[in-house]
Amino acid sequence: MKRIVKVAAAIIQDGERILAMQRGHGEFAGMWEFPGGKVETGETSRNALEREIQEEMDARIQVEELFYTVEYNYPDFHLSMDCFLCTLLSETWKRKEHMDSRWLTAKELDSVPWLPADMGLIERLKERMQNAGRRFGAEKSC
């Protein structure tokens, strides 16, 4: 049985754009992802995300709604990633662990090579962003 790695990711919104970050290290260096990281023992996904964004970007965010949970099998582990819609609360931020960053619109989401686990998420985001044509929110259930 593969080990399970639980992570949280921030889909940081600014109007019709979302923030993408380019990995600067590891096996997938150069590929793109959403900022975030591992959920530590005793932490909720929301708490982990607030901590990780402070560490990675020296910034504070407002964690809004859960948008999607990615379940993906990498060769060595199973990834379970809670992806939250977020808003930056800090006026300034910086890249501390990533090589590059870009604000992308729905039409630009395919312009960068995403991590394999993110591909299904990207398709859902494109659909949501194109349908909304404005700031978008999480899907609501009736």
Side-chain angles (χ1 to χ4, degrees):
M1 185 167 144
K2 291 182 182 180
R3 70 183 168 99
I4 297 173
V5 177
K6 181 73 175 171
V7 300
I11 303 169
I12 299 174
Q13 308 169 99
D14 178 26
E16 295 181 15
R17 306 177 308 161
I18 57 172
L19 183 63
M21 305 286 263
Q22 187 179 33
R23 287 181 66 93
H25 64 312
E27 177 183 354
F28 295 102
M31 297 191 82
W32 291 74
E33 65 183 357
F34 294 104
K38 289 184 184 175
V39 177
E40 303 293 341
T41 303
E43 251 182 344
T44 66
S45 293
R46 288 174 181 270
N47 294 139
L49 200 47
E50 290 170 346
R51 176 185 51 76
E52 287 285 347
I53 297 305
Q54 183 64 48
E55 291 173 5
E56 290 182 10
M57 298 172 58
D58 198 19
R60 289 179 33 252
I61 57 169
Q62 177 177 324
V63 180
E64 297 169 6
E65 297 182 54
L66 178 66
F67 179 74
Y68 186 68
T69 298
V70 172
E71 299 290 342
Y72 188 84
N73 284 313
Y74 280 102
D76 298 331
F77 64 94
H78 177 81
L79 176 74
S80 180
M81 180 171 64
D82 289 336
C83 304
F84 291 88
L85 299 176
C86 301
T87 303
L88 272 174
L89 297 176
S90 302
E91 290 185 23
T92 61
W93 57 275
K94 55 189 168 189
R95 291 187 311 268
K96 295 169 79 174
E97 295 184 16
H98 292 88
M99 291 189 326
D100 199 2
S101 59
R102 292 185 194 161
W103 288 99
L104 301 174
T105 64
K107 291 179 182 177
E108 297 168 323
L109 285 174
D110 291 328
S111 69
V112 298
W114 293 95
L115 289 171
D118 289 340
M119 295 310 297
L121 171 63
I122 296 305
E123 290 307 311
R124 286 179 182 271
L125 277 172
K126 281 195 299 192
E127 182 179 314
R128 174 55 58 109
M129 293 168 74
Q130 288 167 345
N131 288 341
R134 55 178 165 63
R135 182 181 163 94
F136 56 98
E139 294 179 30
K140 305 278 188 208
S141 55
C142 299

